[in-house]
DNA sequence: ATCTAGTTTATAATTGTTCTAAAGTGAAAA
DNA sequence: TTTTCACTTTAGAACAATTATAAACTAGAT
């Protein structure tokens, strides 16, 4: 992902491209593979990597803005930390509880044959499959 | 579920059947349908229902003991509260984010036709399907 | 009845997250 | 340029969920 795309991504989220936001955005989006993270882990990685320290509140704010703009999604994982995902397409996950690591599964790699109908007046918004792993 | 079963359930968990634990256990297990709850919601319901007040720490302790003994399971729901489930069999859920309500789906009501193989050396422990609802 | 390990409880501590309000910054107007 | 002002960052406070602590309190064995 190019620098110009990072700036586009920020502006399209209604975010001014400040030093901190650019740094966060580059860290999140300039990579080949999906990145799954918690705010805590992101903060640690950013602290390790960058010269300038970014306040935790700024990381929360920026991550939430990206989520609101649809550039990040939230993944549910047991425990009380919130996991985010740079893959915003409809997909599924393996979860390795040993390493607390998520692995993407492409939506096409899981086919559900039979599914119950939604209850009284409700509709199905989406279906998430979560595959727990063991050794 | 009979009183005798409640006592059995407690003893089988290595828990002495104290007044508080019996009260919690009866509230959780003496019902027809699955019960999904958070510690907060359970605490409110118990406070409303029973004469004696049970300390929050006791509720946490008891719920965790039941979970450890396999009498309760944990369900992952977006947000930072932990959800518990009296249904400990392998099953799936509808989730209505409007009402923050979980609805059980029998394991047999979902058939997965295609599933990717587990990564390097890992095995599949279980598969959880989470169906988000909308209106 | 006595003893003891297990239990309950109020409260403190910890953890993850959100809020606040003061200081900082930058693009555009004057 | 300087000024302006809305937007940002930040440290720390506040808040919410959970876990730890340690003193008072049983239940059940002796
Ligand atoms: Mn979670
Ligand atoms: Mn959760
Ligand atoms: Zn993912
Ligand atoms: Zn359930």
């Amino acid at each position: 992902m190019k620098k110009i795309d990072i700036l586009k991504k920020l502006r399209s989220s209604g975010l001014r491209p400040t030093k901190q936001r650019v740094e966060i955005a580059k860290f999140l989006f300039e990579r080949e593979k999906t990145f799954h993270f918690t705010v805590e882990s992101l903060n640690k990685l950013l602290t390790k990597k960058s010269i300038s320290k970014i306040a935790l509140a700024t990381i929360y704010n920026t991550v939430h803005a990206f989520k609101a703009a649809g550039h990040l999604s939230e993944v549910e994982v047991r425990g009380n930390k919130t996991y985010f995902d740079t893959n915003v397409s409809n997909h599924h996950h393996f979860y390795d509880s040993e390493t607390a690591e998520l692995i993407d599964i492409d939506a096409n790699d899981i086919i559900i044959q039979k599914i119950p109908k939604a209850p009284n007046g409700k509709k199905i918004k989406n279906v998430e499959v979560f595959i727990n792993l063991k050794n």
Side-chain angles (χ1 to χ4, degrees), chain A:
Chain A
M1 181 165 286
K2 305 292 162 43
K3 187 169 193 174
I4 192 77
D5 294 327
I6 291 291
L7 295 183
K8 245 178 225 161
K9 188 156 282 193
L10 281 163
R11 290 209 198 83
S12 74
S13 312
L15 294 177
R16 271 195 202 164
T18 64
K19 183 161 68 69
Q20 291 86 343
R21 285 169 178 167
V22 170
E23 209 166 316
I24 294 170
K26 288 174 87 168
F27 189 82
L28 290 178
F29 302 120
E30 281 186 348
R31 46 177 83 222
E32 301 296 312
K33 292 179 57 202
T34 299
F35 181 45
H36 299 106
F37 64 96
T38 65
V39 169
E40 189 201 20
S41 72
L42 176 58
N43 184 36
K44 274 198 187 120
L45 291 168
L46 280 173
T47 304
K48 212 182 297 176
K49 190 176 184 291
S50 57
I51 316 100
S52 52
K53 187 197 168 297
I54 301 177
L56 196 57
T58 300
I59 299 178
Y60 272 104
N61 289 340
T62 306
V63 164
H64 285 156
F66 282 141
K67 191 195 163 191
H71 296 310
L72 288 176
S73 63
E74 190 182 327
V75 188
E76 203 38 70
V77 178
R78 247 158 277 252
N80 18 338
K81 276 187 243 186
T82 305
Y83 279 72
F84 294 94
D85 191 339
T86 56
N87 184 348
V88 294
S89 74
N90 179 22
H91 68 289
H92 309 289
H93 293 99
F94 283 119
Y95 182 65
D96 185 344
S97 61
E98 298 284 324
T99 60
E101 208 180 352
L102 287 163
I103 300 166
D104 274 0
I105 300 171
D106 192 274
N108 300 319
D109 289 342
I110 290 185
I111 297 174
I112 298 176
Q113 192 176 47
K114 184 186 177 191
I115 209 163
K117 60 182 177 310
N120 45 310
K122 303 281 177 179
K123 285 180 174 164
I124 290 175
K125 191 200 292 176
N126 75 314
V127 178
E128 292 175 63
V129 179
F130 195 82
I131 304 181
N132 285 99
L133 297 175
K134 61 180 173 186
N135 291 331

